[in-house]
Amino acid sequence: MADAKTDIQATVERALKDEKVLASLAEDLSGSSRRSRMTAAQVFEQVAKTDVSKIAPYGNELVDALNRPEAQTRWESLEALCELVDIDSRTCDKALAGAEASLFDEESGLVRLSAMRFLCKLGATTEKRSEKTWPLIDEGIQCYHGDLEFSDMLLAVVNFSTGKLAPSVKEELAARMKFDSENAKGSLKRKAAQIIENVS
């Protein structure tokens, strides 16, 4: 396991220095080897967190990777796309369908969480996008309330609530959080109250 981690780290470092490495990994994202796809997605995610500009030319490949069957490729690609929102939100718009499918993935909580993070990040960028992503975010809040990943999902919603949201979205988000802000306990109550405060 340690060796695999070392290999990934070495590949990340090479990819940051040599764009040919990333170009080759971008091809692996749509290749026939499951292991190569997962490795490529993992490297893309880590490169994106270090220097997002390096992955900018490969936004379409990352969007396409959301159609792969294995969960890891999808969640790592969504995490990379989350970073890409900051510099190329237009390409990220193309990932909406893949993110929606991932949000309702029945087998992987990590895929659902990454999809929620991505939708919240993209939705916070403009009023129009907030209107487009809000029905999915709202459904996610209702579907996964109480799940293991819900606390992290709600953190993404807190960030969403500070974005450029349409007035109708702010209103509906506050209404959705009202019950938890009054009846929940601990972290959930605090986050719900924070969201209401942010959109008021």
Side-chain angles (χ1 to χ4, degrees), residues 48-68:
K49 283 184 159 63
T50 307
D51 182 356
V52 69
S53 69
K54 300 278 186 198
I55 72 157
Y58 307 106
N60 288 325
E61 285 84 350
L62 287 163
V63 170
D64 183 60
L66 303 184
N67 298 312
R68 302 291 91 80

Side-chain angles (χ1 to χ4, degrees), residues 11 18 88 107 152 181 186:
T11 309
D18 183 356
D88 187 3
E107 287 165 13
D152 287 332
S181 73

Side-chain angles (χ1 to χ4, degrees), residues 15-26:
L16 284 163
K17 290 175 191 152
D18 183 356
E19 61 188 54
K20 285 180 191 158
V21 175
L22 268 185
S24 172
L25 288 165

Side-chain angles (χ1 to χ4, degrees), residues 27-77:
E27 287 179 21
D28 288 346
L29 282 174
S30 59
S32 58
S33 163
R34 189 184 183 92
R35 182 176 288 280
S36 295
R37 293 194 301 259
M38 291 193 297
T39 299
Q42 202 174 352
V43 172
F44 265 99
E45 185 208 357
Q46 292 189 28
V47 168
K49 283 184 159 63
T50 307
D51 182 356
V52 69
S53 69
K54 300 278 186 198
I55 72 157
Y58 307 106
N60 288 325
E61 285 84 350
L62 287 163
V63 170
D64 183 60
L66 303 184
N67 298 312
R68 302 291 91 80
E70 65 281 355
Q72 186 178 341
T73 298
R74 284 180 284 132
W75 90 61
E76 306 263 25
S77 297

Side-chain angles (χ1 to χ4, degrees), residues 129-191:
R129 286 197 184 107
S130 75
E131 290 171 331
K132 204 176 266 192
T133 58
W134 166 244
L136 295 171
I137 294 167
D138 188 29
E139 202 171 338
I141 292 168
Q142 294 173 75
C143 285
Y144 306 122
H145 201 285
D147 278 17
L148 198 59
E149 297 79 21
F150 188 68
S151 179
D152 287 332
M153 283 187 173
L154 210 51
L155 201 54
V157 180
V158 171
N159 293 332
F160 174 70
S161 70
T162 64
K164 296 174 184 160
L165 310 188
S168 61
V169 172
K170 287 184 177 183
E171 207 174 294
E172 287 172 34
L173 178 53
R176 174 61 60 215
M177 288 292 123
K178 190 174 189 300
F179 181 84
D180 283 335
S181 73
E182 293 170 354
N183 300 285
K185 291 186 171 68
S187 166
L188 175 52
K189 185 185 180 83
R190 282 195 303 278
K191 284 175 184 156

Side-chain angles (χ1 to χ4, degrees), residues 45 49 75-76 78-83 85 99 102-103 109-125 133 136-137 140 149-160:
E45 185 208 357
K49 283 184 159 63
W75 90 61
E76 306 263 25
L78 280 162
E79 292 292 339
L81 286 163
C82 252
E83 302 295 326
V85 167
S102 293
L103 184 64
L110 280 171
V111 170
R112 295 193 293 268
L113 173 58
S114 293
M116 181 66 109
R117 278 191 183 132
F118 172 76
L119 290 164
C120 286
K121 183 90 180 271
L122 185 66
T125 55
T133 58
L136 295 171
I137 294 167
E149 297 79 21
F150 188 68
S151 179
D152 287 332
M153 283 187 173
L154 210 51
L155 201 54
V157 180
V158 171
N159 293 332
F160 174 70

